[in-house]
Every structure is written in C-alpha cells, then in structure tokens.
Amino acid sequence: MTPRFLLVLAIASSIAPALRAEDTLRVVAGRVRDDRGRKLSGAEVVDAGRRILGTTDLDGWFSVRLPEDAPTISFRRIGFKPAGFTFPKGWGLTDTVTVFLAEAAQALPDLEVEAKAWKPVRYAGTTKYDDFFRRQRLGLGTYLSREQLDRKPAIHALEYLQRIPGIRVDVGPPGVDWGSNLRIIRCSGPGSRVMVWLDGVRLRGGSASPADLIDLLGRISPGDIEMIEVYRGAATLPAEFHDDGCAAIAVWTRWNAPLETQDSTR
C-alpha cells in the first residue's frame, strides 16, 4: 500500500464520523404564539439538558438543529409558563411545529420602602437652604445647624467658629474687634485669604488680614444666623465658593417666614 493511498484513507476515515454525525441531526422549525394567538418574540428554545438552542424572532419564528434521537424540545419566556414538545415516532429530519405558551402570573417578592427626608421638615416650605443640605451630604466641610447655634448664645459671629478642628479663634472683649483673632491653619500663608459668604453672596473686604475677616463677620448679627458652613482648604471648596481665597465661611441668615410658622417648627 503506497503512502499516498494511506494518506487518503486516513483523511476519509476522519471525515466519515463527522458526516455520520451530521446525518443524524434534526432540523426543527416553527413558530411560538401566546395563548391568544399573538406572535411571541424572544422565546428560548432549549433541549433536554437546558441548553439554549435559539430564540424566536420578532414574528415568533425559530429554526434549530438537534440530534435525531432527542426525545423532547422545550420553550420558555419570562412571563409565560414553559411548554415542552415530544417528538412522535416517524417524524422526519426536518419538522415544523407550532407552540402556544400560556401567560403566567408573576409573584413578586414583598418590597419594603424606606423614605428618608433629605432636609429637615421645618425647611419644607423654602428652597433657600437646599444647597446647604446638598453640600452637607457630601461632607467636605463643617456644618453648623440652627440647633447647634441655639445651644451656644453668642455676641459675635466669631464665637460660633470656636472648637471647629483646624481653626484657631480668639475672642476679645465685647465691642473690641482688635482683641479678636481668627486663623485657619490650611489657609494662613502670605497673601492667603479666607472668604466670607452671606446667603450665597461674597462679602468684600479691604484686605486679606485677620482683622478684615473679623470685621466682615462682625457685620452679621448672631441672632440673624440660621446656619454656617466652613471649608478649611482650597481642596474642599465647592464650585460655588471658588474665588480668590483658599478657605470659606458661608453664613445663612434666618428664613424670613411668619413668626408663628418659625415657632411651630422649632
């Protein structure tokens, strides 16, 4: 036997099993509808081993191939009861089938909904402080609420900034600004400026000195302050407080609501 004949015989032997396996495949085509007769797209066609053979198109048509000796084929789709089809004896290698899937009631798990107010109820009637509470959720600065301020009566707004980490505050005698001092450690180099904002508007002073800063804060009556936010470095400054300074003190005055409304929400 010549080498060339042996090579041809080997190739023929390797192809023969593949041809025999191909000959045993069954082609199954058809259409899937719902129990009202409507075309059902996206239905999966699976074999007995739950292997997905294909899905139906927009008109509900499908065409899959599976072994001739496969006894069943199944169809499933979310929202419908799965259905199976058993091949009767004598069917050929190319068969057509129509399948109907019945709608199934979907039992959803119980849902627990928990609602949490993003700002205190007392401020439900105003949008003035919405940005304050938005920034407070981000947590980049220090935020003093109305309740915190009310627990510490003050003569000068400077007193509210005491005991905030990163800030050194000295409060002089009442009515004597020259005896007071304020220094933010991260914003204390030459030319550094601490900005003061009142109700979202920048207060302008004559210089960047501590005395100028204390003068700006001294213009705000402690009794008019609703809340304060402090940003001790340029990296923490929100976009709305970016200007020519490296730190910011934002003061918000009290909501100008009717007196009885304010008293009822405290």
Side-chain angles (χ1 to χ4, degrees):
M1 186 177 294
T2 65
R4 178 177 298 178
F5 180 77
L6 290 175
L7 179 60
V8 173
L9 181 60
I11 295 175
S13 300
S14 64
I15 294 176
L19 292 175
R20 286 196 296 270
E22 183 72 18
D23 291 341
T24 60
L25 289 179
R26 165 184 283 148
V27 178
V28 181
R31 184 177 247 180
V32 179
R33 296 179 179 272
D34 64 11
D35 50 4
R36 300 181 185 179
R38 297 173 298 186
K39 298 172 290 187
L40 199 59
S41 64
E44 295 178 341
V45 185
V46 298
D47 61 12
R50 297 182 181 273
R51 183 170 60 97
I52 299 176
L53 303 175
T55 57
T56 58
D57 62 17
L58 294 177
D59 291 322
W61 289 105
F62 70 92
S63 178
V64 297
R65 303 169 72 184
L66 68 162
E68 181 187 9
D69 57 356
T72 61
I73 191 172
S74 300
F75 303 85
R76 65 188 184 188
R77 188 180 187 278
I78 295 176
F80 295 83
K81 296 179 181 179
F85 181 83
T86 301
F87 295 104
K89 292 182 179 180
W91 272 44
L93 296 180
T94 304
D95 299 320
T96 302
V97 62
T98 300
V99 179
F100 293 90
L101 298 184
E103 292 188 23
Q106 298 297 303
L108 299 177
D110 293 335
L111 299 178
E112 294 184 4
V113 179
E114 181 179 352
K116 184 178 181 180
W118 65 276
K119 66 180 180 179
V121 177
R122 73 155 67 171
Y123 300 110
T126 179
T127 59
K128 178 177 180 178
Y129 312 109
D130 286 0
D131 286 337
F132 174 94
F133 294 114
R134 175 181 56 81
R135 291 186 290 267
Q136 186 179 45
R137 292 199 301 273
L138 296 177
L140 296 178
T142 299
Y143 305 88
L144 303 179
S145 66
R146 170 73 173 273
E147 291 77 12
Q148 292 172 296
L149 299 180
D150 284 347
R151 288 196 294 266
K152 183 182 178 181
I155 298 176
H156 194 292
L158 187 66
E159 299 176 52
Y160 289 136
L161 305 179
Q162 291 178 315
R163 293 189 293 274
I164 293 180
I167 298 182
R168 296 180 181 178
V169 178
D170 296 320
V171 181
V176 183
D177 284 349
W178 57 263
S180 301
N181 189 29
L182 186 150
R183 178 171 175 263
I184 297 181
I185 298 174
R186 296 182 185 176
C187 185
S188 57
S192 298
R193 185 187 299 273
V194 178
M195 300 172 289
V196 179
W197 298 75
L198 180 63
D199 290 337
V201 178
R202 170 81 182 275
L203 297 183
R204 299 289 178 176
S207 68
S209 67
D212 182 57
L213 176 62
I214 292 169
D215 176 66
L216 292 178
L217 292 172
R219 301 176 191 177
I220 307 171
S221 171
D224 292 336
I225 299 176
E226 182 74 16
M227 52 189 69
I228 300 174
E229 47 189 315
V230 181
Y231 301 94
R232 301 185 297 272
T236 64
L237 284 173
E240 50 267 54
F241 294 146
H242 267 290
D243 203 343
D244 60 354
C246 55
I249 300 171
V251 179
W252 297 90
T253 57
R254 297 197 172 186
W255 179 26
N256 190 23
L259 183 60
E260 61 272 12
T261 302
Q262 292 185 8
D263 291 341
S264 63
T265 57
R266 290 187 184 182

